[in-house]
PDB file of all heavy atoms in Angstrom:
ATOM      1  N   LEU A   4     -43.350 -82.245  88.171  1.00  0.00           N
ATOM      2  CA  LEU A   4     -42.160 -82.505  87.368  1.00  0.00           C
ATOM      3  C   LEU A   4     -41.454 -83.771  87.849  1.00  0.00           C
ATOM      4  O   LEU A   4     -41.050 -84.616  87.038  1.00  0.00           O
ATOM      5  CB  LEU A   4     -41.219 -81.305  87.450  1.00  0.00           C
ATOM      6  CG  LEU A   4     -39.892 -81.436  86.701  1.00  0.00           C
ATOM      7  CD1 LEU A   4     -40.125 -81.577  85.207  1.00  0.00           C
ATOM      8  CD2 LEU A   4     -38.983 -80.236  86.996  1.00  0.00           C
ATOM      9  N   ARG A   5     -41.317 -83.907  89.157  1.00  0.00           N
ATOM     10  CA  ARG A   5     -40.675 -85.119  89.686  1.00  0.00           C
ATOM     11  C   ARG A   5     -41.474 -86.363  89.314  1.00  0.00           C
ATOM     12  O   ARG A   5     -40.893 -87.395  88.950  1.00  0.00           O
ATOM     13  CB  ARG A   5     -40.532 -85.006  91.204  1.00  0.00           C
ATOM     14  CG  ARG A   5     -39.549 -83.956  91.672  1.00  0.00           C
ATOM     15  CD  ARG A   5     -39.348 -84.012  93.179  1.00  0.00           C
ATOM     16  NE  ARG A   5     -38.657 -82.824  93.659  1.00  0.00           N
ATOM     17  CZ  ARG A   5     -39.263 -81.762  94.174  1.00  0.00           C
ATOM     18  NH1 ARG A   5     -40.586 -81.745  94.284  1.00  0.00           N
ATOM     19  NH2 ARG A   5     -38.572 -80.719  94.566  1.00  0.00           N
ATOM     20  N   ARG A   6     -42.786 -86.274  89.428  1.00  0.00           N
ATOM     21  CA  ARG A   6     -43.614 -87.434  89.078  1.00  0.00           C
ATOM     22  C   ARG A   6     -43.492 -87.777  87.591  1.00  0.00           C
ATOM     23  O   ARG A   6     -43.634 -88.943  87.193  1.00  0.00           O
ATOM     24  CB  ARG A   6     -45.077 -87.164  89.436  1.00  0.00           C
ATOM     25  CG  ARG A   6     -45.352 -87.114  90.935  1.00  0.00           C
ATOM     26  CD  ARG A   6     -46.844 -87.192  91.218  1.00  0.00           C
ATOM     27  NE  ARG A   6     -47.567 -86.053  90.661  1.00  0.00           N
ATOM     28  CZ  ARG A   6     -47.783 -84.903  91.294  1.00  0.00           C
ATOM     29  NH1 ARG A   6     -47.301 -84.726  92.525  1.00  0.00           N
ATOM     30  NH2 ARG A   6     -48.462 -83.921  90.718  1.00  0.00           N
ATOM     31  N   ALA A   7     -43.233 -86.759  86.783  1.00  0.00           N
ATOM     32  CA  ALA A   7     -43.117 -86.978  85.337  1.00  0.00           C
ATOM     33  C   ALA A   7     -41.786 -87.609  84.949  1.00  0.00           C
ATOM     34  O   ALA A   7     -41.630 -88.091  83.825  1.00  0.00           O
ATOM     35  CB  ALA A   7     -43.301 -85.657  84.593  1.00  0.00           C
ATOM     36  N   MET A   8     -40.824 -87.634  85.870  1.00  0.00           N
ATOM     37  CA  MET A   8     -39.506 -88.201  85.582  1.00  0.00           C
ATOM     38  C   MET A   8     -39.539 -89.720  85.748  1.00  0.00           C
ATOM     39  O   MET A   8     -38.909 -90.299  86.626  1.00  0.00           O
ATOM     40  CB  MET A   8     -38.447 -87.584  86.503  1.00  0.00           C
ATOM     41  CG  MET A   8     -38.168 -86.126  86.273  1.00  0.00           C
ATOM     42  SD  MET A   8     -36.830 -85.552  87.367  1.00  0.00           S
ATOM     43  CE  MET A   8     -36.855 -83.775  87.049  1.00  0.00           C
ATOM     44  N   THR A   9     -40.273 -90.371  84.869  1.00  0.00           N
ATOM     45  CA  THR A   9     -40.426 -91.827  84.902  1.00  0.00           C
ATOM     46  C   THR A   9     -39.252 -92.484  84.172  1.00  0.00           C
ATOM     47  O   THR A   9     -38.472 -91.800  83.487  1.00  0.00           O
ATOM     48  CB  THR A   9     -41.750 -92.219  84.250  1.00  0.00           C
ATOM     49  OG1 THR A   9     -41.729 -91.765  82.886  1.00  0.00           O
ATOM     50  CG2 THR A   9     -42.931 -91.585  84.980  1.00  0.00           C
ATOM     51  N   PRO A  10     -39.116 -93.785  84.289  1.00  0.00           N
ATOM     52  CA  PRO A  10     -37.981 -94.461  83.637  1.00  0.00           C
ATOM     53  C   PRO A  10     -37.918 -94.274  82.123  1.00  0.00           C
ATOM     54  O   PRO A  10     -36.841 -94.415  81.533  1.00  0.00           O
ATOM     55  CB  PRO A  10     -38.206 -95.933  84.007  1.00  0.00           C
ATOM     56  CG  PRO A  10     -38.952 -95.892  85.297  1.00  0.00           C
ATOM     57  CD  PRO A  10     -39.867 -94.702  85.177  1.00  0.00           C
ATOM     58  N   GLU A  11     -39.053 -93.954  81.497  1.00  0.00           N
ATOM     59  CA  GLU A  11     -39.035 -93.767  80.042  1.00  0.00           C
ATOM     60  C   GLU A  11     -38.366 -92.457  79.629  1.00  0.00           C
ATOM     61  O   GLU A  11     -37.970 -92.295  78.474  1.00  0.00           O
ATOM     62  CB  GLU A  11     -40.467 -93.774  79.487  1.00  0.00           C
ATOM     63  CG  GLU A  11     -41.230 -95.070  79.707  1.00  0.00           C
ATOM     64  CD  GLU A  11     -41.822 -95.155  81.105  1.00  0.00           C
ATOM     65  OE1 GLU A  11     -41.970 -94.090  81.764  1.00  0.00           O
ATOM     66  OE2 GLU A  11     -42.132 -96.273  81.550  1.00  0.00           O
ATOM     67  N   VAL A  12     -38.245 -91.512  80.558  1.00  0.00           N
ATOM     68  CA  VAL A  12     -37.686 -90.197  80.233  1.00  0.00           C
ATOM     69  C   VAL A  12     -36.171 -90.316  80.096  1.00  0.00           C
ATOM     70  O   VAL A  12     -35.482 -90.733  81.029  1.00  0.00           O
ATOM     71  CB  VAL A  12     -38.053 -89.148  81.301  1.00  0.00           C
ATOM     72  CG1 VAL A  12     -37.372 -87.823  80.985  1.00  0.00           C
ATOM     73  CG2 VAL A  12     -39.569 -88.980  81.381  1.00  0.00           C
ATOM     74  N   LYS A  13     -35.671 -89.937  78.943  1.00  0.00           N
ATOM     75  CA  LYS A  13     -34.231 -89.999  78.675  1.00  0.00           C
ATOM     76  C   LYS A  13     -33.594 -88.614  78.644  1.00  0.00           C
ATOM     77  O   LYS A  13     -32.377 -88.501  78.795  1.00  0.00           O
ATOM     78  CB  LYS A  13     -33.967 -90.700  77.339  1.00  0.00           C
ATOM     79  CG  LYS A  13     -34.590 -92.088  77.236  1.00  0.00           C
ATOM     80  CD  LYS A  13     -34.117 -93.003  78.355  1.00  0.00           C
ATOM     81  CE  LYS A  13     -34.778 -94.379  78.264  1.00  0.00           C
ATOM     82  NZ  LYS A  13     -34.419 -95.251  79.400  1.00  0.00           N
ATOM     83  N   LEU A  14     -34.408 -87.581  78.414  1.00  0.00           N
ATOM     84  CA  LEU A  14     -33.872 -86.229  78.300  1.00  0.00           C
ATOM     85  C   LEU A  14     -34.873 -85.234  78.862  1.00  0.00           C
ATOM     86  O   LEU A  14     -36.077 -85.366  78.635  1.00  0.00           O
ATOM     87  CB  LEU A  14     -33.557 -85.911  76.832  1.00  0.00           C
ATOM     88  CG  LEU A  14     -32.911 -84.560  76.527  1.00  0.00           C
ATOM     89  CD1 LEU A  14     -31.889 -84.705  75.400  1.00  0.00           C
ATOM     90  CD2 LEU A  14     -33.956 -83.518  76.139  1.00  0.00           C
ATOM     91  N   LEU A  15     -34.372 -84.246  79.581  1.00  0.00           N
ATOM     92  CA  LEU A  15     -35.184 -83.164  80.128  1.00  0.00           C
ATOM     93  C   LEU A  15     -34.649 -81.839  79.617  1.00  0.00           C
ATOM     94  O   LEU A  15     -33.456 -81.545  79.750  1.00  0.00           O
ATOM     95  CB  LEU A  15     -35.144 -83.185  81.659  1.00  0.00           C
ATOM     96  CG  LEU A  15     -35.671 -81.947  82.390  1.00  0.00           C
ATOM     97  CD1 LEU A  15     -37.155 -81.742  82.113  1.00  0.00           C
ATOM     98  CD2 LEU A  15     -35.418 -82.057  83.887  1.00  0.00           C
ATOM     99  N   ALA A  16     -35.514 -81.024  79.012  1.00  0.00           N
ATOM    100  CA  ALA A  16     -35.144 -79.712  78.494  1.00  0.00           C
ATOM    101  C   ALA A  16     -35.872 -78.638  79.281  1.00  0.00           C
ATOM    102  O   ALA A  16     -37.103 -78.668  79.378  1.00  0.00           O
ATOM    103  CB  ALA A  16     -35.493 -79.609  77.007  1.00  0.00           C
ATOM    104  N   VAL A  17     -35.121 -77.683  79.833  1.00  0.00           N
ATOM    105  CA  VAL A  17     -35.732 -76.676  80.694  1.00  0.00           C
ATOM    106  C   VAL A  17     -34.976 -75.349  80.579  1.00  0.00           C
ATOM    107  O   VAL A  17     -33.758 -75.330  80.414  1.00  0.00           O
ATOM    108  CB  VAL A  17     -35.755 -77.152  82.170  1.00  0.00           C
ATOM    109  CG1 VAL A  17     -34.348 -77.344  82.715  1.00  0.00           C
ATOM    110  CG2 VAL A  17     -36.566 -76.214  83.049  1.00  0.00           C
ATOM    111  N   ALA A  18     -35.731 -74.258  80.649  1.00  0.00           N
ATOM    112  CA  ALA A  18     -35.126 -72.930  80.643  1.00  0.00           C
ATOM    113  C   ALA A  18     -34.623 -72.574  82.030  1.00  0.00           C
ATOM    114  O   ALA A  18     -35.279 -72.862  83.028  1.00  0.00           O
ATOM    115  CB  ALA A  18     -36.157 -71.889  80.186  1.00  0.00           C
ATOM    116  N   HIS A  19     -33.469 -71.933  82.075  1.00  0.00           N
ATOM    117  CA  HIS A  19     -32.982 -71.394  83.350  1.00  0.00           C
ATOM    118  C   HIS A  19     -33.866 -70.228  83.772  1.00  0.00           C
ATOM    119  O   HIS A  19     -34.283 -70.136  84.921  1.00  0.00           O
ATOM    120  CB  HIS A  19     -31.529 -70.949  83.193  1.00  0.00           C
ATOM    121  CG  HIS A  19     -30.823 -70.712  84.484  1.00  0.00           C
ATOM    122  ND1 HIS A  19     -29.446 -70.673  84.595  1.00  0.00           N
ATOM    123  CD2 HIS A  19     -31.284 -70.480  85.745  1.00  0.00           C
ATOM    124  CE1 HIS A  19     -29.114 -70.446  85.855  1.00  0.00           C
ATOM    125  NE2 HIS A  19     -30.209 -70.315  86.550  1.00  0.00           N
ATOM    126  N   VAL A  20     -34.169 -69.340  82.815  1.00  0.00           N
ATOM    127  CA  VAL A  20     -35.061 -68.199  83.042  1.00  0.00           C
ATOM    128  C   VAL A  20     -36.016 -68.105  81.863  1.00  0.00           C
ATOM    129  O   VAL A  20     -35.585 -68.143  80.706  1.00  0.00           O
ATOM    130  CB  VAL A  20     -34.271 -66.884  83.188  1.00  0.00           C
ATOM    131  CG1 VAL A  20     -35.217 -65.687  83.284  1.00  0.00           C
ATOM    132  CG2 VAL A  20     -33.351 -66.925  84.406  1.00  0.00           C
ATOM    133  N   SER A  21     -37.311 -67.962  82.146  1.00  0.00           N
ATOM    134  CA  SER A  21     -38.304 -67.844  81.078  1.00  0.00           C
ATOM    135  C   SER A  21     -38.202 -66.502  80.384  1.00  0.00           C
ATOM    136  O   SER A  21     -38.150 -65.453  81.032  1.00  0.00           O
ATOM    137  CB  SER A  21     -39.713 -68.008  81.648  1.00  0.00           C
ATOM    138  OG  SER A  21     -40.696 -67.612  80.708  1.00  0.00           O
ATOM    139  N   ASN A  22     -38.214 -66.525  79.051  1.00  0.00           N
ATOM    140  CA  ASN A  22     -38.134 -65.277  78.290  1.00  0.00           C
ATOM    141  C   ASN A  22     -39.454 -64.509  78.293  1.00  0.00           C
ATOM    142  O   ASN A  22     -39.485 -63.341  77.901  1.00  0.00           O
ATOM    143  CB  ASN A  22     -37.711 -65.561  76.843  1.00  0.00           C
ATOM    144  CG  ASN A  22     -38.798 -66.228  76.027  1.00  0.00           C
ATOM    145  OD1 ASN A  22     -39.360 -67.246  76.440  1.00  0.00           O
ATOM    146  ND2 ASN A  22     -39.105 -65.667  74.869  1.00  0.00           N
ATOM    147  N   VAL A  23     -40.535 -65.130  78.728  1.00  0.00           N
ATOM    148  CA  VAL A  23     -41.849 -64.472  78.759  1.00  0.00           C
ATOM    149  C   VAL A  23     -42.238 -64.084  80.179  1.00  0.00           C
ATOM    150  O   VAL A  23     -42.702 -62.966  80.432  1.00  0.00           O
ATOM    151  CB  VAL A  23     -42.935 -65.391  78.155  1.00  0.00           C
ATOM    152  CG1 VAL A  23     -44.312 -64.726  78.243  1.00  0.00           C
ATOM    153  CG2 VAL A  23     -42.605 -65.743  76.720  1.00  0.00           C
ATOM    154  N   LEU A  24     -42.041 -64.984  81.118  1.00  0.00           N
ATOM    155  CA  LEU A  24     -42.528 -64.800  82.485  1.00  0.00           C
ATOM    156  C   LEU A  24     -41.467 -64.220  83.416  1.00  0.00           C
ATOM    157  O   LEU A  24     -41.800 -63.681  84.476  1.00  0.00           O
ATOM    158  CB  LEU A  24     -43.004 -66.143  83.051  1.00  0.00           C
ATOM    159  CG  LEU A  24     -44.032 -66.897  82.215  1.00  0.00           C
ATOM    160  CD1 LEU A  24     -44.261 -68.289  82.795  1.00  0.00           C
ATOM    161  CD2 LEU A  24     -45.335 -66.116  82.150  1.00  0.00           C
ATOM    162  N   GLY A  25     -40.205 -64.368  83.056  1.00  0.00           N
ATOM    163  CA  GLY A  25     -39.132 -63.977  83.959  1.00  0.00           C
ATOM    164  C   GLY A  25     -38.893 -64.977  85.076  1.00  0.00           C
ATOM    165  O   GLY A  25     -38.036 -64.757  85.938  1.00  0.00           O
ATOM    166  N   THR A  26     -39.600 -66.086  85.073  1.00  0.00           N
ATOM    167  CA  THR A  26     -39.451 -67.111  86.108  1.00  0.00           C
ATOM    168  C   THR A  26     -38.031 -67.649  86.117  1.00  0.00           C
ATOM    169  O   THR A  26     -37.486 -68.031  85.073  1.00  0.00           O
ATOM    170  CB  THR A  26     -40.424 -68.274  85.855  1.00  0.00           C
ATOM    171  OG1 THR A  26     -41.759 -67.776  85.833  1.00  0.00           O
ATOM    172  CG2 THR A  26     -40.283 -69.342  86.916  1.00  0.00           C
ATOM    173  N   VAL A  27     -37.432 -67.680  87.301  1.00  0.00           N
ATOM    174  CA  VAL A  27     -36.103 -68.273  87.468  1.00  0.00           C
ATOM    175  C   VAL A  27     -36.301 -69.689  88.002  1.00  0.00           C
ATOM    176  O   VAL A  27     -36.731 -69.880  89.140  1.00  0.00           O
ATOM    177  CB  VAL A  27     -35.236 -67.447  88.434  1.00  0.00           C
ATOM    178  CG1 VAL A  27     -33.851 -68.079  88.573  1.00  0.00           C
ATOM    179  CG2 VAL A  27     -35.112 -66.003  87.952  1.00  0.00           C
ATOM    180  N   ASN A  28     -36.025 -70.658  87.175  1.00  0.00           N
ATOM    181  CA  ASN A  28     -36.239 -72.042  87.572  1.00  0.00           C
ATOM    182  C   ASN A  28     -35.091 -72.556  88.447  1.00  0.00           C
ATOM    183  O   ASN A  28     -33.929 -72.202  88.213  1.00  0.00           O
ATOM    184  CB  ASN A  28     -36.380 -72.941  86.342  1.00  0.00           C
ATOM    185  CG  ASN A  28     -37.705 -72.762  85.646  1.00  0.00           C
ATOM    186  OD1 ASN A  28     -38.748 -72.682  86.294  1.00  0.00           O
ATOM    187  ND2 ASN A  28     -37.687 -72.681  84.323  1.00  0.00           N
ATOM    188  N   PRO A  29     -35.398 -73.390  89.436  1.00  0.00           N
ATOM    189  CA  PRO A  29     -34.349 -73.960  90.306  1.00  0.00           C
ATOM    190  C   PRO A  29     -33.611 -75.079  89.581  1.00  0.00           C
ATOM    191  O   PRO A  29     -33.757 -76.273  89.903  1.00  0.00           O
ATOM    192  CB  PRO A  29     -35.149 -74.475  91.506  1.00  0.00           C
ATOM    193  CG  PRO A  29     -36.486 -74.841  90.940  1.00  0.00           C
ATOM    194  CD  PRO A  29     -36.747 -73.833  89.843  1.00  0.00           C
ATOM    195  N   VAL A  30     -32.810 -74.692  88.591  1.00  0.00           N
ATOM    196  CA  VAL A  30     -32.225 -75.688  87.694  1.00  0.00           C
ATOM    197  C   VAL A  30     -31.262 -76.625  88.420  1.00  0.00           C
ATOM    198  O   VAL A  30     -31.103 -77.788  88.026  1.00  0.00           O
ATOM    199  CB  VAL A  30     -31.532 -75.010  86.491  1.00  0.00           C
ATOM    200  CG1 VAL A  30     -32.568 -74.406  85.554  1.00  0.00           C
ATOM    201  CG2 VAL A  30     -30.542 -73.947  86.933  1.00  0.00           C
ATOM    202  N   ARG A  31     -30.622 -76.143  89.460  1.00  0.00           N
ATOM    203  CA  ARG A  31     -29.708 -77.024  90.194  1.00  0.00           C
ATOM    204  C   ARG A  31     -30.478 -78.174  90.841  1.00  0.00           C
ATOM    205  O   ARG A  31     -30.075 -79.340  90.744  1.00  0.00           O
ATOM    206  CB  ARG A  31     -28.947 -76.221  91.253  1.00  0.00           C
ATOM    207  CG  ARG A  31     -27.867 -77.011  91.974  1.00  0.00           C
ATOM    208  CD  ARG A  31     -27.025 -76.107  92.853  1.00  0.00           C
ATOM    209  NE  ARG A  31     -25.933 -76.819  93.491  1.00  0.00           N
ATOM    210  CZ  ARG A  31     -24.989 -76.239  94.211  1.00  0.00           C
ATOM    211  NH1 ARG A  31     -24.979 -74.911  94.364  1.00  0.00           N
ATOM    212  NH2 ARG A  31     -24.027 -76.956  94.779  1.00  0.00           N
ATOM    213  N   GLU A  32     -31.598 -77.854  91.470  1.00  0.00           N
ATOM    214  CA  GLU A  32     -32.435 -78.888  92.082  1.00  0.00           C
ATOM    215  C   GLU A  32     -33.025 -79.811  91.030  1.00  0.00           C
ATOM    216  O   GLU A  32     -33.063 -81.039  91.196  1.00  0.00           O
ATOM    217  CB  GLU A  32     -33.551 -78.229  92.896  1.00  0.00           C
ATOM    218  CG  GLU A  32     -34.545 -79.195  93.496  1.00  0.00           C
ATOM    219  CD  GLU A  32     -35.717 -78.494  94.168  1.00  0.00           C
ATOM    220  OE1 GLU A  32     -35.625 -77.271  94.410  1.00  0.00           O
ATOM    221  OE2 GLU A  32     -36.732 -79.164  94.432  1.00  0.00           O
ATOM    222  N   ILE A  33     -33.492 -79.218  89.937  1.00  0.00           N
ATOM    223  CA  ILE A  33     -34.102 -80.016  88.867  1.00  0.00           C
ATOM    224  C   ILE A  33     -33.081 -80.987  88.274  1.00  0.00           C
ATOM    225  O   ILE A  33     -33.370 -82.175  88.057  1.00  0.00           O
ATOM    226  CB  ILE A  33     -34.676 -79.087  87.776  1.00  0.00           C
ATOM    227  CG1 ILE A  33     -35.883 -78.312  88.322  1.00  0.00           C
ATOM    228  CG2 ILE A  33     -35.057 -79.885  86.535  1.00  0.00           C
ATOM    229  CD1 ILE A  33     -36.332 -77.178  87.425  1.00  0.00           C
ATOM    230  N   CYS A  34     -31.876 -80.492  87.999  1.00  0.00           N
ATOM    231  CA  CYS A  34     -30.860 -81.352  87.396  1.00  0.00           C
ATOM    232  C   CYS A  34     -30.404 -82.438  88.374  1.00  0.00           C
ATOM    233  O   CYS A  34     -30.080 -83.561  87.948  1.00  0.00           O
ATOM    234  CB  CYS A  34     -29.666 -80.515  86.932  1.00  0.00           C
ATOM    235  SG  CYS A  34     -30.043 -79.447  85.522  1.00  0.00           S
ATOM    236  N   ARG A  35     -30.386 -82.127  89.663  1.00  0.00           N
ATOM    237  CA  ARG A  35     -30.023 -83.144  90.653  1.00  0.00           C
ATOM    238  C   ARG A  35     -31.043 -84.281  90.644  1.00  0.00           C
ATOM    239  O   ARG A  35     -30.678 -85.468  90.654  1.00  0.00           O
ATOM    240  CB  ARG A  35     -29.934 -82.513  92.043  1.00  0.00           C
ATOM    241  CG  ARG A  35     -29.511 -83.511  93.129  1.00  0.00           C
ATOM    242  CD  ARG A  35     -29.321 -82.852  94.476  1.00  0.00           C
ATOM    243  NE  ARG A  35     -30.570 -82.298  94.997  1.00  0.00           N
ATOM    244  CZ  ARG A  35     -30.804 -81.013  95.160  1.00  0.00           C
ATOM    245  NH1 ARG A  35     -29.879 -80.108  94.819  1.00  0.00           N
ATOM    246  NH2 ARG A  35     -31.959 -80.590  95.642  1.00  0.00           N
ATOM    247  N   GLU A  36     -32.335 -83.923  90.611  1.00  0.00           N
ATOM    248  CA  GLU A  36     -33.371 -84.941  90.573  1.00  0.00           C
ATOM    249  C   GLU A  36     -33.285 -85.772  89.290  1.00  0.00           C
ATOM    250  O   GLU A  36     -33.485 -86.989  89.304  1.00  0.00           O
ATOM    251  CB  GLU A  36     -34.751 -84.289  90.686  1.00  0.00           C
ATOM    252  CG  GLU A  36     -35.028 -83.636  92.025  1.00  0.00           C
ATOM    253  CD  GLU A  36     -35.117 -84.647  93.152  1.00  0.00           C
ATOM    254  OE1 GLU A  36     -35.561 -85.791  92.899  1.00  0.00           O
ATOM    255  OE2 GLU A  36     -34.728 -84.307  94.286  1.00  0.00           O
ATOM    256  N   ALA A  37     -33.005 -85.100  88.173  1.00  0.00           N
ATOM    257  CA  ALA A  37     -32.897 -85.818  86.904  1.00  0.00           C
ATOM    258  C   ALA A  37     -31.685 -86.754  86.904  1.00  0.00           C
ATOM    259  O   ALA A  37     -31.768 -87.898  86.432  1.00  0.00           O
ATOM    260  CB  ALA A  37     -32.794 -84.819  85.754  1.00  0.00           C
ATOM    261  N   ARG A  38     -30.577 -86.277  87.432  1.00  0.00           N
ATOM    262  CA  ARG A  38     -29.355 -87.081  87.451  1.00  0.00           C
ATOM    263  C   ARG A  38     -29.550 -88.355  88.265  1.00  0.00           C
ATOM    264  O   ARG A  38     -29.036 -89.431  87.899  1.00  0.00           O
ATOM    265  CB  ARG A  38     -28.211 -86.236  87.998  1.00  0.00           C
ATOM    266  CG  ARG A  38     -26.839 -86.855  87.842  1.00  0.00           C
ATOM    267  CD  ARG A  38     -25.734 -85.828  88.040  1.00  0.00           C
ATOM    268  NE  ARG A  38     -25.817 -85.194  89.349  1.00  0.00           N
ATOM    269  CZ  ARG A  38     -26.170 -83.917  89.558  1.00  0.00           C
ATOM    270  NH1 ARG A  38     -26.494 -83.150  88.527  1.00  0.00           N
ATOM    271  NH2 ARG A  38     -26.207 -83.412  90.781  1.00  0.00           N
ATOM    272  N   ARG A  39     -30.288 -88.250  89.364  1.00  0.00           N
ATOM    273  CA  ARG A  39     -30.559 -89.437  90.184  1.00  0.00           C
ATOM    274  C   ARG A  39     -31.309 -90.508  89.408  1.00  0.00           C
ATOM    275  O   ARG A  39     -31.225 -91.701  89.720  1.00  0.00           O
ATOM    276  CB  ARG A  39     -31.395 -89.043  91.413  1.00  0.00           C
ATOM    277  CG  ARG A  39     -30.630 -88.247  92.459  1.00  0.00           C
ATOM    278  CD  ARG A  39     -31.573 -87.751  93.535  1.00  0.00           C
ATOM    279  NE  ARG A  39     -30.866 -87.035  94.592  1.00  0.00           N
ATOM    280  CZ  ARG A  39     -31.462 -86.327  95.540  1.00  0.00           C
ATOM    281  NH1 ARG A  39     -32.796 -86.251  95.577  1.00  0.00           N
ATOM    282  NH2 ARG A  39     -30.746 -85.714  96.450  1.00  0.00           N
ATOM    283  N   ARG A  40     -32.042 -90.077  88.394  1.00  0.00           N
ATOM    284  CA  ARG A  40     -32.856 -91.001  87.599  1.00  0.00           C
ATOM    285  C   ARG A  40     -32.209 -91.342  86.264  1.00  0.00           C
ATOM    286  O   ARG A  40     -32.819 -91.988  85.424  1.00  0.00           O
ATOM    287  CB  ARG A  40     -34.247 -90.384  87.373  1.00  0.00           C
ATOM    288  CG  ARG A  40     -35.050 -90.201  88.657  1.00  0.00           C
ATOM    289  CD  ARG A  40     -36.172 -89.203  88.439  1.00  0.00           C
ATOM    290  NE  ARG A  40     -37.075 -89.119  89.577  1.00  0.00           N
ATOM    291  CZ  ARG A  40     -36.836 -88.403  90.681  1.00  0.00           C
ATOM    292  NH1 ARG A  40     -35.694 -87.719  90.789  1.00  0.00           N
ATOM    293  NH2 ARG A  40     -37.721 -88.369  91.667  1.00  0.00           N
TER     294      ARG A  40
END
């Protein structure tokens, strides 16, 4: 995901919790990385 955050990326869409898998994504970390870019 970090490698995919290239300069061309303007928007990132992500689920906090998956409705199928129940996966809880580390959205705070993800948004911090996105904000830096």
Side-chain angles (χ1 to χ4, degrees):
L4 178 63
R5 292 186 193 97
R6 290 194 297 271
M8 293 183 187
T9 60
E11 298 81 20
V12 176
K13 305 303 178 185
L14 183 143
L15 166 63
V17 63
H19 195 161
V20 174
S21 167
N22 72 308
V23 178
L24 306 172
T26 302
V27 181
N28 286 317
V30 289
R31 186 172 184 174
E32 176 186 345
I33 292 168
C34 291
R35 182 175 64 247
E36 293 293 328
R38 191 164 58 250
R39 288 173 177 169
R40 295 161 173 81

